[in-house]
Structures are given as structure tokens and as C-alpha cells.
Amino acid sequence: MSFITKKKINNTIYYYLRSSKRINGKIKAINIAYLGKDKKQAEIKAKEIQSKTLKPIKSKENIMKENKPKVEEENKIINMKDFTSFIQESGLIWGPEPEIYGGFAGFYTYGPLGKLLKNKVENSVRKVFNSFGFREIEGPTVMPDVVWKASGHLDTFNDRTIKCSKCNSTFRADKLVEEFLKISADSFSNEKLLDSIKTHNIVCPSCKSHFANKIETQSLMMKTLVAGNEASLRPETATVTYLPFLRYNNYFRKKIPFGVFQIGKAYRNEISPRQGVLRGREFTQAEGQIFVDPLQKNSWPAYEEVKENLLPLWDYLSQEKNIDVKEIPIEQALKKGFIKSQAYAWCLNIAFMQFINFGIPKEYIRLRQHHPNEKAFYADDAWDIEIKLNTFGWTEICGVHDRTDYDLKQHSKHSKINLEAQRENGEKFTPHVLEIAFGTDRPTYALIDLFYEKKEEAEGKTSFSLPYHMSPIDVCVFPLMKKPELTSLAKYVKEHLERDFIVEYDESGSIGKRYLRSSTSGTPFALTIDFDSITNNDVTIRDRNSEKQIRVPIADLRKIIHHLINGELDFDKAGKAVKKE
């Protein structure tokens, strides 16, 4: 069943052809084709497509009658105004900054709730990397240009741009195509990009005029001077992570392999940053690098522990044939040649586990292999992790690369310092680098996007049902009323819990309004101190998702909340149930 739908972006209406498909017993809508901005032309183009491949087109009104839940999902996807308002009013993300001066595209402030959520993301990254033996370092954000010359960034770190023929606004060409056609265009040649823009009548988002028929390039490096010397802000954390290799080698007692990771700011002179923190000019990266002996890549002991794990892999041939993603065991992927080494497969599994640990449902995650002409020339293997967002569809969140010995050899050549390791037999070699590269802004945005749900007034409150362990605030504490005996005990409970948790204390407004504020901030549990608490030394815990309530002794609170947040204890079994009156 196919139908035409419209999507409003920056006050412009775009038409798409969508089709309903049953997946795992549920009806889901998927994009079939972009139809342009003119309704009549969209209808003509849709009929042409339908006559070749699809079933008759139904009106959106009929679809609403037949399948109301699906249409509600569609509304959730397209209502950016409500979503943006929620992000700003909830104190998650503000900007572009500085707002009072009109804003500077690509720079954002994380508000109080947003920064707490981002902290949770970064702490989860640390936990996963540390559990696999990586150790965290922190390097400089500015380096002399001799470093960026060696790495190749100074000469080749460019994006392809296209300019509006009327207003001269410049945009990143491949991203324009991706946004309008909902496809990946990284591997497109310049000719294919221009052809796509012309064929689908993609026009300037600023003034709606046509683009010049020319692709140019722009450096993404942000330049500066340090004591009169040419330097650049780092466009990634990876390069500055490679430079102290000899220090790592000594620290890890010259035993290859070893892994390090870095979480920190990076800067890119993005052409036309849109989509909020998904494409900022200043952003936080979290990159893991593991240095390996190339002779050990296919005799990797840790591979045995993960080889039976399932990964949702989408190889490049399946992409070309439009074959759906399939979950297959890592061992089978290696045998089929999708993945080239055991060590790289192990890294893919770590990257996948990072996003599972954030609480992102696995059905919203896929691993997409780079096309041969998309892959960097030095990369032996390259896959991206993509997440299906409600706002922007499938979005690249992470890259996993086998960079071979390129980086260490480049810096050895330009620095005149041998960045080598030594095998037990005395043989020297240049280690290969396996990289897990992502940032913390995109996972933070993904959590907001996937777990926010706007509801109409008649359907109940808007929900922000983050995974409990990723919620910015762990627990709220409410005295039932502003009575000294209640507020005194409530503040004691707050201080008692703050040793382990982020706690919000709120005594203003009715208890119902405080429950609502707590829920819309994503807080999993709200504690109420009432007059029975004074007598019995216990409190009421209210669960965000089920709205059930239990009574729990104050002495047991820290232990029980810890188990509840980590999913180690069922809420109904955590205390005495409170019956609704």
C-alpha cells in the first residue's frame, strides 16, 4: 500500500511517496521516493512510479481511517516545531549561540538537563571502553600545522560545496542530496551529485533558486596563530591521540596490542551546518584507538568471546541491490568476507555495544559498509554505525576503521622519529591502528529523538521515556506539603541519596504538577515524603513509566534505587504496593 505524504522543512513543503510494510507483525511506513515540492507534479510522478512497481495509491485521509497509529507516528516524525520547543524549554540544548546576537551556526549550549544527559553518555562511553581494556588520555586541541600536513588534513580535509546562483549561499553538496532524497550520497561522484540535484529539482533552502552547475571544495580546518606560528584547531581527536605512541608503548610495558581513547572537543569549518548538534562546527568526540601487530589480526584471542554475537550488517553489495539489513553472526560475516580480520570484527562488536549500552533499541541500529569508492585510500576496512532517527531517518553516528599503518608511518616520516614496536624475537614493525570514531553529541541527540513523544492533550502528557540508567536526573524528592516536619525529612533523604545519584528537590506546586515536571524531564523515580514517612521511616516511590507506587524504608532507598535504575529489580517486588484510591 503506497501513499503520498508531505514534510515541512523551514516552512517549505516537500512531497514523498511512502509505502506501508508489515515488519515483525507491525505495520511500518517507509520512504519510496522524493516527489518534489509541487503537489500536482508529485501526484504525476507518484503515478508513474506506482504504475511500474507499486500498488494503487491511497489518499492520506483513507490511510488515517485505516491505520491511525501509523499516522500518529508520521506526525511525530514531521513535527519539528514541537520537538525543537521541547528541547529548548526543557533545558536540553540551546542555540545556535550566542542567541542574543542572532546566533552563529554550528555552536550550541547544553542546558542543565542536556549537560546531565551528555555526561551520562560520556560516562557510558568510558565504562565500555575501560571494560575492554582501553585507557583514557587527554591531548591538546591545537597543534602546529606541521602535524596536520603529516596527517593529510591540511591538504585533503575538504568537503564538496555547491553555490546558489542567486543568493550565493553555499551548501555541502552531498548532504543536500541526502536530506532531500533520504539516501546516502557520500560515495557519489561530482557528476552524480550535480545530476541528482538537477533531476530532482533540489533548490537553495535559503531563497528557493537553482544552484550553479559546479562543485567546489572547501577546507574544514579552523586556522589560528600561536606565537606567530601557523596552527589549526584539531578536526578530530584521533591525530593527537597517535602522536604520543612511544609514551604509550612504554606505559603498556611494550606489549602490543593496547588501546587508548579520548573524549574531547574538536572543530570543523562545516559548510552550512544544519540539523542542530548533529552537524556542529564545535563538537565533542569520543574515539578509541587500538594499536595492533598486523600479524595478530587473524589470531585474536578475544575474538572467540564475540564470534557468535549477531550484528545487523548491511554490506555494500546489499546496499546496491536494495536488500534489507540482516543480523548475522560475526563468525559468518568473517567467512563471507564482509569483515577482513578477527581484530576488526572485535572492534565492530565494541562499537555496537557502545550504542546498545546507551539503551538505543537494536532494531534502530545498523552497520553500513563503505562502498569501495567511498572508503579512504589507506583504510583496509570501514563500516559506519547508523541510527534511525525520527527526525532525520538513518543517520551516521559512528565510524569503525582499519587504518593500517598509515598514521604512524606518516608521522614517522615527517617527524623523523621512528614510531615502531618490537616483537619478542627482536623484529621491529609499525603497528596498525583500529579506530572506533564517534562523538557524544549525536548519541545524546539520538536519545532525545527516540524517547521523546508528543501527545495531544486528550491522550495524556508528553513523555520523555529515556532508559532509566541514562536519565539526566535519577530521582526527584518531594515533600507532600511545605510543612517543616516534611521538608526537613525530605532534605535529609535528598542528602542521603546524593552520595550515589543526581537528585532533584522540589517543594513548589501540587504533587500532581511535580510528578508531571519529573516525568517530562525523564526522571525515572519520584519520592514523596508524607506524614506516614515521619512515623514509619519510609517513603513512596513512583515509577515514571507505569505510574505505580510502592512504599520503601528510607534505610533501603540507596540500594533499591540502584537496582531499579540498572534493571536488576522488578518495581513490583521492590516494596509494598500502594493501592490507588
Side-chain angles (χ1 to χ4, degrees):
M1 179 176 63
S2 59
F3 57 95
I4 298 171
T5 187
K6 61 184 180 181
K7 184 173 183 178
K8 191 174 184 180
I9 304 175
N10 295 330
N11 294 320
T12 301
I13 300 296
Y14 302 94
Y15 291 92
Y16 296 88
L17 184 63
R18 290 173 68 82
S19 176
S20 294
K21 184 178 180 182
R22 185 173 293 277
I23 302 174
N24 297 327
K26 295 182 179 180
I27 299 295
K28 294 189 178 182
I30 58 173
N31 277 338
I32 299 298
Y34 168 67
L35 302 175
K37 294 183 294 182
D38 182 82
K39 186 176 181 181
K40 290 185 178 179
Q41 290 299 317
E43 290 173 348
I44 293 170
K45 187 179 289 188
K47 287 179 180 178
E48 290 175 357
I49 296 171
Q50 172 265 330
S51 65
K52 296 178 181 178
T53 59
L54 298 173
K55 297 177 182 179
I57 297 172
K58 296 190 176 185
S59 69
K60 192 168 184 180
E61 289 74 14
N62 288 337
I63 296 299
M64 291 177 68
K65 293 176 183 177
E66 294 176 10
N67 196 358
K68 195 171 188 295
K70 180 188 67 58
V71 175
E72 289 170 355
E73 181 183 342
E74 179 75 6
N75 289 342
K76 176 185 174 185
I77 294 172
I78 66 174
N79 201 334
M80 285 297 293
K81 183 178 180 181
D82 286 339
F83 182 62
T84 302
S85 177
F86 171 77
I87 288 176
Q88 293 174 343
E89 292 176 7
S90 298
L92 288 162
I93 302 170
W94 299 322
E97 295 286 23
E99 290 182 311
I100 62 172
Y101 287 97
F104 197 28
F107 298 90
Y108 292 87
T109 292
Y110 282 87
L113 200 66
K115 179 55 179 167
L116 287 171
L117 177 58
K118 191 164 180 258
N119 288 346
K120 286 284 184 82
V121 168
E122 292 175 4
N123 288 335
S124 177
V125 171
R126 290 187 173 95
K127 184 176 180 180
V128 172
F129 273 138
N130 279 311
S131 71
F132 284 99
F134 291 69
R135 291 296 174 259
E136 185 173 7
I137 63 109
E138 182 177 335
T141 58
V142 177
M143 282 276 129
D145 275 352
V146 63
V147 170
W148 307 117
K149 181 72 174 178
S151 68
H153 285 87
L154 208 58
D155 298 324
T156 63
F157 197 50
N158 306 310
D159 269 344
R160 293 176 291 177
T161 66
I162 191 165
K163 186 178 288 187
C164 176
S165 60
K166 183 178 180 181
C167 71
N168 289 324
S169 295
T170 301
F171 298 88
R172 185 171 161 181
D174 58 333
K175 291 301 177 186
L176 267 179
V177 172
E178 289 181 354
E179 288 173 23
F180 279 85
L181 302 185
K182 306 301 178 187
I183 58 175
S184 176
D186 285 347
S187 62
F188 282 18
S189 65
N190 288 353
E191 292 74 19
K192 190 171 181 179
L193 285 173
L194 289 171
D195 182 65
S196 298
I197 290 169
K198 183 178 180 181
T199 301
H200 298 285
N201 195 31
I202 299 174
V203 295
C204 173
S206 299
C207 72
K208 313 309 176 193
S209 299
H210 292 286
F211 288 104
N213 193 39
K214 183 181 179 182
I215 299 290
E216 298 179 332
T217 59
Q218 176 178 308
S219 173
L220 298 180
M221 300 297 288
M222 282 195 180
K223 303 286 296 169
T224 188
L225 288 173
V226 178
N229 297 310
E230 293 280 340
S232 299
L233 280 69
R234 65 184 185 187
E236 58 174 29
T237 59
T239 295
V240 298
T241 304
Y242 303 140
L243 302 181
F245 169 75
L246 296 177
R247 296 289 190 184
Y248 305 143
N249 202 31
N250 285 333
Y251 175 82
F252 290 103
R253 304 191 305 279
K254 300 183 179 180
K255 293 182 179 180
I256 298 280
F258 52 75
V260 294
F261 71 97
Q262 185 169 181
I263 300 174
K265 290 290 187 181
Y267 304 84
R268 294 182 185 177
N269 190 22
E270 282 279 355
I271 311 305
S272 51
R274 297 189 299 282
Q275 301 180 342
V277 295
L278 290 181
R279 284 178 58 199
R281 286 175 166 142
E282 177 191 54
F283 50 95
T284 304
Q285 284 205 302
E287 298 187 315
Q289 317 288 335
I290 183 163
F291 299 86
V292 306
D293 184 338
L295 300 183
Q296 296 177 348
K297 280 183 171 180
N298 275 309
S299 56
W300 195 258
Y303 169 75
E304 294 299 317
E305 301 171 11
V306 304
K307 68 180 183 180
E308 295 180 1
N309 291 2
L310 297 175
L311 293 180
L313 299 179
W314 200 26
D315 65 283
Y316 80 91
L317 290 175
S318 295
Q319 295 170 48
E320 291 177 352
K321 297 174 183 177
N322 203 26
I323 298 173
D324 289 342
V325 177
K326 293 181 181 178
E327 272 195 337
I328 65 171
I330 289 175
E331 186 175 30
Q332 185 180 337
L334 194 62
K335 288 178 180 177
K336 285 178 173 287
F338 295 163
I339 302 169
K340 291 190 176 181
S341 72
Q342 294 180 359
Y344 182 80
W346 181 75
C347 284
L348 270 186
N349 183 73
I350 293 174
F352 182 68
M353 290 308 301
Q354 285 279 13
F355 293 92
I356 292 297
N357 277 27
F358 293 148
I360 295 173
K362 65 179 183 178
E363 58 267 27
Y364 287 84
I365 306 173
R366 72 183 181 192
L367 282 70
R368 186 187 70 82
Q369 186 180 31
H370 283 206
H371 288 70
N373 60 347
E374 176 188 4
K375 196 165 56 175
F377 71 90
Y378 53 78
D380 193 43
D381 222 342
W383 290 70
D384 288 339
I385 291 182
E386 299 180 334
I387 293 177
K388 189 177 183 181
L389 302 177
N390 290 314
T391 47
F392 299 111
W394 286 107
T395 302
E396 176 196 336
I397 302 290
C398 172
V400 185
H401 313 110
D402 183 340
R403 300 178 65 95
T404 66
D405 56 10
Y406 172 79
D407 300 284
L408 292 185
K409 281 191 172 179
Q410 281 294 104
H411 292 297
S412 291
K413 175 183 175 182
H414 286 260
S415 68
K416 306 295 190 288
I417 302 293
N418 285 331
L419 301 178
E420 296 179 328
Q422 186 171 300
R423 299 186 177 101
E424 290 183 359
N425 63 6
E427 183 181 6
K428 291 186 177 181
F429 68 98
T430 302
H432 285 201
V433 176
L434 304 179
E435 173 187 54
I436 301 170
F438 61 103
T440 57
D441 301 282
R442 291 188 179 190
T444 301
Y445 180 91
L447 287 168
I448 299 170
D449 173 285
L450 293 175
F451 293 101
Y452 157 84
E453 184 177 3
K454 171 70 175 179
K455 294 182 180 178
E456 300 301 326
E457 190 172 337
E459 299 172 318
K461 61 185 179 296
T462 292
S463 64
F464 190 34
S465 302
L466 287 163
Y468 285 3
H469 70 290
M470 296 302 295
S471 296
I473 298 168
D474 297 308
V475 60
C476 290
V477 175
F478 305 145
L480 184 63
M481 292 183 285
K482 277 188 180 181
K483 299 279 187 179
E485 58 270 40
L486 295 180
T487 57
S488 175
L489 181 57
K491 289 176 181 178
Y492 166 79
V493 170
K494 170 183 176 287
E495 293 170 5
H496 176 67
L497 294 175
E498 280 178 328
R499 303 177 197 177
D500 301 306
F501 308 106
I502 301 295
V503 183
E504 179 86 8
Y505 179 85
D506 189 355
E507 59 181 33
S508 63
S510 69
I511 195 67
K513 288 183 177 179
R514 283 180 277 169
Y515 281 150
L516 180 59
R517 287 197 293 266
S518 168
S519 178
T520 52
S521 70
T523 306
F525 303 108
L527 275 57
T528 302
I529 285 77
D530 54 22
F531 290 102
D532 287 339
S533 301
I534 299 171
T535 306
N536 302 325
N537 275 324
D538 63 4
V539 302
T540 297
I541 302 182
R542 184 179 188 267
D543 177 59
R544 180 194 69 198
N545 289 355
S546 68
E547 299 185 359
K548 292 180 179 179
Q549 298 184 17
I550 56 174
R551 300 290 293 195
V552 171
I554 293 173
D556 297 337
L557 274 178
R558 286 166 60 192
K559 177 179 68 175
I560 286 176
I561 291 174
H562 176 82
H563 288 319
L564 288 172
I565 285 175
N566 290 293
E568 299 165 351
L569 180 64
D570 186 84
F571 187 78
D572 292 332
K573 298 178 181 178
K576 185 178 179 181
V578 176
K579 294 182 180 180
K580 289 187 177 181
E581 296 180 358

